[in-house]
Amino acid sequence: MFKKATKFGSVLFVILVICFISFDVLSFGESENNSSDNATDITLSKEATDFLYSENDINWYKFNTNKKHFIFAFSLTEDTNIDTINLGWNISIYKADNTKIFSMSSVTANRISPKLPYSGEILIKIEASNKASTQNAPIFCPYNIKITEFTDKYYENESNDKSNTANNISVGYSYSGALQSTDDTDWYKFKATKDYFVVNFNINNKSDIETINDGFNISLYKNNSSTPIFEYKNVTSKCSSYKLPFVGEFLIKIEAYNKISGFSPDFCDYDIKITEMSDIYFESETNGVISLANTVKYDKSYTGALQFCDDIDWYKINSSCINSISFKINKSTAVDKVGTGWKITVYGSDLKTKLASVYAKEDTVISNVFSNNGVIYIKVEAKNKNENKAPKNCYYDIKISHKTHSYKNVLTKATLKNNGGIVNTCKYCGHKKSIVKTYYYPKTIKLSKTTYIYDGKLKTPCVTVLDSKGKKIAKSNYTVTQSKTRNRIGVHNVTIKFKGNFTGTKILQFKVLPGSTTLSLKASGKKVVCSWKKLGGVSGYELYYSTKKNSGYKKVTVTKKLTATKNNLTKGKRYYFRVRAYKKVGKKYYYGAWSTKYIKAK
């Protein structure tokens, strides 16, 4: 059952065999499992026991997992004599291609690996930590091994070591990962849709802080860009990015700060989370070009940050009432990160006239330079665009205050969709102080009648206008113009044009249709003679017949005459006839009501 022991007497060997026969030991038979080619299959989620037979012995195991992650557990059995552990075991885990993915050295107690994000065939190698002598190697010292597989959608999934294989993560959820080796790289991809987002990074509380070593490098990229938007180096604890005012797809790259073995944070779990939100008072990228300058309002504080050393932030405002521009370092910014500070330049509406230019390394106020009317533009950039001197990752607040307002009553006319009124408004900047009076927009405009029967006389429907509160708007606020030919058959316009405190034009329509004639029928043998009375203003008449009152009608004739005959009818059978007048106006036909009667053929 066991391998042949070396340097031990046969008596000792028999005693050890008897001692271990009571354990649930892996059954290897007589074959050696001291190479990866002869690795012994182990069952997932089942604990198994084994031991080394000599200081030079090596035990190899293998298993297959279809899930995304697994954990390797190593433990001592209840019967393990701790005096025989000596310098312990070395444990290494490999992928099928012999790439090492995890190792533990000088193991002398129970140990559990971190989550290992691999699937497929995996190999495990266990050997003595010190092979110099039997006195230092854990010979015939039993141990347990167990593999637990699982899938955790919030833990990294290898291989995410390239940008094109980045793990997709969702905003608002915390994800965990770990560098599997000194040169491992973890990539993540996410989509941001709101005004800005923050990247939060933290060392997982399950990690041994001694394994952090020189820490991590964290870089953020706009999708398909090779230049990072921001990056943190030598991260050894919790950190968060500044507010990043971008939308779209982004990539995060996490790697070791120092890729020398012993200095990188191998198997040190970290947590990463993207938080996004909206803030109308935070700069909106991309305001790096003047055509996309952020429009700001008076007396409101806006926050911004240079996203990289050569970033530029543009703002604009109507300058007619401007008093001063205050620039302050945001209270969340560490003063020692300001570097050489910011350069603030103010331009006139022609974008050529420079109204002010100052350097700010502390709170600054720009005033008494704004005689210009119209729009002014404010440009914020680094004084020194050298990466180490620019105020990168530093928030600033910018606020434009106004002069004393000069108010007057200004009329805004009500439109067909929006209220109007008289508002107390600053004549310089348009600031609205108070509403003096409101004119509610005309929500309902209707005619007293929309269909008339032709009689040769002019038709004049009444117009009623109700505001959005349901109250009648006086006729003095609009004029009504009606078609001069509204005595004719056809469609006619009524134009309502608002005036005074209202503006806008509404066109309504009504119809004048032919009247209904009177039908007479006379049967003679197998024919019926139909006649009807003449109507004025029409083009002609349509005559139909059927054996049913309400369906199955077929055309007899379309004529300008007042009589028509239908022949070849069946004696004694009832027939229904109907006639209507029509008027052709242009390419459109207008019809009067049907006149219907029935008769029996003789």
Short mmCIF file of all heavy atoms in Angstrom, two decimals, residues 18-19 33 57 76 89 110 116 133 153 156 239 263 277 315 382 395 437 464 474 478 490 579 598:
data_model
loop_
_atom_site.label_atom_id
_atom_site.label_comp_id
_atom_site.label_asym_id
_atom_site.label_seq_id
_atom_site.Cartn_x
_atom_site.Cartn_y
_atom_site.Cartn_z
N ILE A 18 0.97 -0.20 10.78
CA ILE A 18 -0.15 -0.54 11.68
C ILE A 18 -0.79 0.73 12.22
O ILE A 18 -2.01 0.83 12.34
CB ILE A 18 0.35 -1.43 12.85
CG1 ILE A 18 0.81 -2.78 12.28
CG2 ILE A 18 -0.73 -1.63 13.89
CD1 ILE A 18 1.52 -3.66 13.32
N CYS A 19 0.03 1.71 12.52
CA CYS A 19 -0.51 2.98 13.06
C CYS A 19 -1.39 3.69 12.05
O CYS A 19 -2.44 4.24 12.41
CB CYS A 19 0.65 3.90 13.47
SG CYS A 19 1.58 3.33 14.90
N ASN A 33 3.53 8.24 -6.99
CA ASN A 33 2.91 9.47 -7.51
C ASN A 33 3.88 10.63 -7.32
O ASN A 33 3.52 11.71 -6.92
CB ASN A 33 1.57 9.75 -6.85
CG ASN A 33 1.71 10.09 -5.38
OD1 ASN A 33 2.65 9.65 -4.73
ND2 ASN A 33 0.77 10.88 -4.85
N ASP A 57 10.78 12.23 -0.76
CA ASP A 57 9.53 11.83 -1.39
C ASP A 57 8.74 13.07 -1.87
O ASP A 57 8.84 14.15 -1.27
CB ASP A 57 8.67 11.05 -0.40
CG ASP A 57 7.48 10.39 -1.08
OD1 ASP A 57 7.48 10.28 -2.32
OD2 ASP A 57 6.55 9.99 -0.35
N LEU A 76 -3.78 19.30 9.48
CA LEU A 76 -3.22 18.17 10.20
C LEU A 76 -4.34 17.27 10.67
O LEU A 76 -5.44 17.75 10.99
CB LEU A 76 -2.39 18.66 11.39
CG LEU A 76 -1.28 19.66 11.08
CD1 LEU A 76 -0.57 20.08 12.36
CD2 LEU A 76 -0.28 19.10 10.08
N TRP A 89 6.08 21.22 5.32
CA TRP A 89 5.92 20.89 3.90
C TRP A 89 6.01 22.13 3.00
O TRP A 89 5.71 23.25 3.43
CB TRP A 89 4.55 20.25 3.67
CG TRP A 89 4.30 18.97 4.39
CD1 TRP A 89 4.48 17.71 3.92
CD2 TRP A 89 3.76 18.84 5.72
NE1 TRP A 89 4.10 16.78 4.86
CE2 TRP A 89 3.65 17.45 5.98
CE3 TRP A 89 3.38 19.73 6.73
CZ2 TRP A 89 3.18 16.93 7.17
CZ3 TRP A 89 2.91 19.24 7.92
CH2 TRP A 89 2.80 17.85 8.15
N ASN A 110 -2.33 24.19 9.98
CA ASN A 110 -3.45 24.25 9.03
C ASN A 110 -3.34 25.52 8.19
O ASN A 110 -3.12 26.61 8.73
CB ASN A 110 -4.78 24.23 9.77
CG ASN A 110 -5.01 22.93 10.52
OD1 ASN A 110 -4.28 21.95 10.32
ND2 ASN A 110 -6.02 22.90 11.37
N LEU A 116 -8.81 30.84 -5.70
CA LEU A 116 -7.97 30.71 -6.88
C LEU A 116 -8.88 30.67 -8.11
O LEU A 116 -9.61 29.70 -8.30
CB LEU A 116 -7.12 29.45 -6.79
CG LEU A 116 -6.12 29.48 -5.60
CD1 LEU A 116 -5.52 28.12 -5.38
CD2 LEU A 116 -5.04 30.52 -5.83
N SER A 133 17.78 16.11 5.70
CA SER A 133 17.87 14.93 6.56
C SER A 133 16.49 14.52 7.01
O SER A 133 15.54 15.31 6.98
CB SER A 133 18.76 15.21 7.78
OG SER A 133 18.10 16.13 8.66
N LYS A 153 -19.63 35.38 -8.58
CA LYS A 153 -19.69 36.38 -9.66
C LYS A 153 -19.08 37.71 -9.25
O LYS A 153 -18.86 38.59 -10.09
CB LYS A 153 -21.12 36.58 -10.13
CG LYS A 153 -22.05 37.23 -9.12
CD LYS A 153 -23.43 37.41 -9.73
CE LYS A 153 -24.39 38.12 -8.76
NZ LYS A 153 -25.72 38.35 -9.37
N GLU A 156 -12.90 38.02 -9.10
CA GLU A 156 -12.31 38.04 -10.44
C GLU A 156 -12.30 36.67 -11.07
O GLU A 156 -12.22 35.64 -10.40
CB GLU A 156 -10.88 38.59 -10.39
CG GLU A 156 -9.87 37.64 -9.81
CD GLU A 156 -8.44 37.97 -10.21
OE1 GLU A 156 -8.17 38.12 -11.43
OE2 GLU A 156 -7.60 38.07 -9.32
N CYS A 239 -8.07 53.57 -0.78
CA CYS A 239 -7.97 54.84 -1.51
C CYS A 239 -9.16 54.98 -2.44
O CYS A 239 -9.79 53.99 -2.82
CB CYS A 239 -6.66 54.93 -2.29
SG CYS A 239 -6.58 53.84 -3.72
N PHE A 263 8.27 41.38 -3.11
CA PHE A 263 7.84 42.77 -2.93
C PHE A 263 6.44 43.02 -3.47
O PHE A 263 5.83 44.04 -3.20
CB PHE A 263 8.83 43.73 -3.61
CG PHE A 263 10.17 43.76 -2.97
CD1 PHE A 263 11.19 42.95 -3.45
CD2 PHE A 263 10.42 44.56 -1.87
CE1 PHE A 263 12.44 42.97 -2.86
CE2 PHE A 263 11.66 44.59 -1.28
CZ PHE A 263 12.69 43.79 -1.77
N MET A 277 -22.88 58.96 -9.56
CA MET A 277 -23.99 59.80 -9.10
C MET A 277 -24.08 61.04 -9.98
O MET A 277 -23.23 61.28 -10.84
CB MET A 277 -23.80 60.18 -7.63
CG MET A 277 -22.51 60.88 -7.34
SD MET A 277 -22.03 60.77 -5.60
CE MET A 277 -21.43 59.08 -5.52
N TYR A 315 -15.52 77.37 -18.57
CA TYR A 315 -16.83 77.75 -18.04
C TYR A 315 -17.26 79.03 -18.75
O TYR A 315 -16.44 79.80 -19.25
CB TYR A 315 -16.76 78.01 -16.53
CG TYR A 315 -16.27 76.84 -15.72
CD1 TYR A 315 -14.91 76.68 -15.45
CD2 TYR A 315 -17.15 75.88 -15.25
CE1 TYR A 315 -14.44 75.59 -14.73
CE2 TYR A 315 -16.69 74.78 -14.52
CZ TYR A 315 -15.34 74.65 -14.26
OH TYR A 315 -14.89 73.57 -13.54
N ALA A 382 -3.51 73.99 -15.38
CA ALA A 382 -2.36 73.93 -14.47
C ALA A 382 -1.37 75.03 -14.84
O ALA A 382 -1.12 75.29 -16.02
CB ALA A 382 -1.69 72.58 -14.56
N TYR A 395 -9.36 69.19 -6.07
CA TYR A 395 -10.64 69.84 -6.34
C TYR A 395 -10.52 71.34 -6.09
O TYR A 395 -9.82 71.79 -5.18
CB TYR A 395 -11.74 69.30 -5.44
CG TYR A 395 -12.08 67.85 -5.67
CD1 TYR A 395 -11.75 66.88 -4.73
CD2 TYR A 395 -12.73 67.46 -6.83
CE1 TYR A 395 -12.07 65.54 -4.94
CE2 TYR A 395 -13.06 66.13 -7.05
CZ TYR A 395 -12.72 65.17 -6.10
OH TYR A 395 -13.03 63.87 -6.32
N LYS A 437 -47.45 89.25 -12.36
CA LYS A 437 -48.72 88.74 -12.85
C LYS A 437 -48.45 87.58 -13.81
O LYS A 437 -47.45 87.56 -14.51
CB LYS A 437 -49.50 89.83 -13.57
CG LYS A 437 -50.93 89.44 -13.94
CD LYS A 437 -51.71 90.63 -14.48
CE LYS A 437 -53.16 90.22 -14.77
NZ LYS A 437 -53.96 91.38 -15.27
N THR A 464 -64.30 79.79 -28.91
CA THR A 464 -64.17 79.88 -27.46
C THR A 464 -62.73 79.53 -27.08
O THR A 464 -62.17 78.53 -27.55
CB THR A 464 -65.12 78.90 -26.74
OG1 THR A 464 -66.47 79.21 -27.11
CG2 THR A 464 -64.97 78.99 -25.23
N ALA A 474 -60.43 86.65 -22.74
CA ALA A 474 -61.23 87.70 -23.38
C ALA A 474 -60.91 87.81 -24.87
O ALA A 474 -59.77 87.58 -25.30
CB ALA A 474 -60.96 89.04 -22.70
N TYR A 478 -57.31 88.23 -28.92
CA TYR A 478 -57.09 87.50 -30.17
C TYR A 478 -58.05 88.01 -31.24
O TYR A 478 -59.09 88.62 -30.94
CB TYR A 478 -57.26 86.00 -29.98
CG TYR A 478 -58.61 85.56 -29.45
CD1 TYR A 478 -59.69 85.32 -30.31
CD2 TYR A 478 -58.81 85.40 -28.08
CE1 TYR A 478 -60.92 84.90 -29.82
CE2 TYR A 478 -60.04 84.99 -27.57
CZ TYR A 478 -61.09 84.74 -28.44
OH TYR A 478 -62.32 84.35 -27.95
N GLY A 490 -67.27 72.07 -48.70
CA GLY A 490 -65.84 71.84 -48.55
C GLY A 490 -65.37 72.11 -47.13
O GLY A 490 -66.18 72.24 -46.20
N VAL A 579 -79.87 56.82 -52.31
CA VAL A 579 -79.23 57.83 -53.14
C VAL A 579 -78.62 58.91 -52.24
O VAL A 579 -79.13 59.18 -51.15
CB VAL A 579 -80.27 58.46 -54.11
CG1 VAL A 579 -81.32 59.26 -53.36
CG2 VAL A 579 -79.56 59.33 -55.16
N TYR A 598 -87.58 51.24 -50.04
CA TYR A 598 -87.66 49.91 -50.64
C TYR A 598 -88.97 49.77 -51.42
O TYR A 598 -89.93 50.51 -51.21
CB TYR A 598 -87.55 48.82 -49.58
CG TYR A 598 -88.74 48.72 -48.65
CD1 TYR A 598 -89.85 47.93 -48.99
CD2 TYR A 598 -88.74 49.42 -47.44
CE1 TYR A 598 -90.93 47.84 -48.13
CE2 TYR A 598 -89.82 49.34 -46.59
CZ TYR A 598 -90.92 48.55 -46.92
OH TYR A 598 -91.99 48.47 -46.09
#
